[in-house]
Amino acid sequence: MLRYDFDWSIVTRPQFLDLVVEGLGRTVALAAISGVLSFVLGALIAAARLSPSTFVRAPANGLVEVVRNVPALFWILFFYFVLPELMPAPIGRALHEWPSYAFVSGVLGLSVDNGAYLSDILRNGMAKIPKGQRDAAASCGMSVWQECVWVLCPQSLRMMMPAITNRMVHNFKNTSLCVAIALPELTWATQQIESITFKGLEVTAVSTLTYAIGSLSIAFALSRLGRRNAAAATARGNEEPCDGCR
């Protein structure tokens, strides 16, 4: 009977610990940058999908349907392998030779995938705000910008925060897909250590725990943000109404 001898000291050896720490740093950077970009992209697409113009709304709807029905891994591979080939030859060669292009491809692929899902969440949230809220804001003398900042966004974000949190956690876990383009993130580091030491259980257990802690941290942080936003909105609602609404 074969017996596996555990050696937990592997993950604390300097050469392997450095791989894990550097991989974790890239994973966090991937999740943070793509999370912000995907939120901005999702908001822009959501606004386009709510546009009264068919020429604006139809392409946005088509883009979302295409992205949502294609695996996230495809978009990472597309930006890394295909996009440079579609560019003029000098630009394509420059992209292939750029040391950071794998990271950029990962960010772009994750942003496109997550942005399509976030656009659905944001659109549904904004569409659920009653039209009377906008009319009331206009009667108070609010500008369009003030209406968005103080009326629509706070209310819709409170409703959408659980769904947004789920997508951001999913985006964090999707960073592991970047191993397909040899980006040295956490999953890549795990595979490298396993291939060198043939001790995969130890480093895999550590990486699994790291992903779990990261996901829980994101969920906790966004949950706190959602509660603070709800408390601030409640406080604003208890304030004395504006002159135009009396």
Side-chain angles (χ1 to χ4, degrees):
M1 180 177 179
L2 295 177
R3 179 171 178 170
Y4 186 86
D5 293 323
F6 285 92
D7 183 6
W8 295 100
S9 66
I10 287 175
V11 294
T12 61
R13 295 177 188 174
Q15 67 272 31
F16 299 140
L17 183 60
D18 289 344
L19 275 177
V20 172
V21 172
E22 291 175 5
L24 176 60
R26 289 189 181 89
T27 293
V28 172
L30 276 171
I33 297 173
S34 63
V36 173
L37 290 180
S38 63
F39 189 87
V40 174
L41 179 62
L44 293 175
I45 297 175
R49 296 178 73 188
L50 291 172
S51 172
S53 172
T54 303
F55 294 102
V56 176
R57 189 174 63 253
N61 287 330
L63 175 63
V64 170
E65 289 303 318
V66 169
V67 174
R68 288 193 310 177
N69 288 282
V70 173
L73 178 60
F74 169 84
W75 298 110
I76 296 173
L77 297 175
F78 171 82
F79 284 109
Y80 187 69
F81 291 109
V82 179
L83 183 62
E85 301 302 324
L86 300 178
M87 296 289 184
I91 298 178
R93 285 195 299 270
L95 290 177
H96 281 307
E97 294 170 0
W98 185 19
S100 300
Y101 186 61
F103 182 85
V104 173
S105 299
V107 168
L108 293 176
L110 293 170
S111 298
V112 168
D113 178 73
N114 202 44
Y117 289 94
L118 285 174
S119 73
D120 250 355
I121 296 170
L122 297 172
R123 184 195 64 166
N124 292 335
M126 289 187 286
K128 288 179 181 177
I129 302 299
K131 187 176 183 296
Q133 297 279 353
R134 307 184 71 170
D135 295 337
S139 68
C140 287
M142 288 187 177
S143 65
V144 175
W145 171 253
Q146 290 173 321
E147 175 187 322
C148 291
V149 172
W150 299 108
V151 179
L152 296 182
C153 289
Q155 294 185 72
S156 59
L157 280 176
R158 289 203 303 275
M159 295 185 294
M160 296 182 295
M161 190 55 72
I164 292 174
T165 299
N166 289 338
R167 280 310 312 174
M168 291 305 182
V169 170
H170 195 73
N171 185 61
F172 172 72
K173 294 185 292 184
N174 269 353
T175 59
S176 61
L177 297 175
C178 294
V179 70
I181 56 175
L183 179 64
E185 41 73 59
L186 185 56
T187 300
W188 180 90
T190 302
Q191 290 186 345
Q192 293 300 304
I193 296 173
E194 180 180 5
S195 66
I196 294 171
T197 64
F198 298 101
K199 294 286 186 179
L201 290 179
E202 295 89 338
V203 67
T204 299
V206 171
S207 297
T208 301
L209 180 61
T210 303
Y211 277 115
I213 293 174
S215 298
L216 290 172
S217 299
I218 293 171
F220 177 77
L222 291 180
S223 176
R224 287 289 301 272
L225 180 62
R227 287 197 295 268
R228 288 181 61 182
N229 180 61
T234 301
R236 286 196 299 270
N238 293 331
E239 292 177 355
E240 187 178 359
C242 60
D243 293 337
C245 297
R246 290 174 179 173

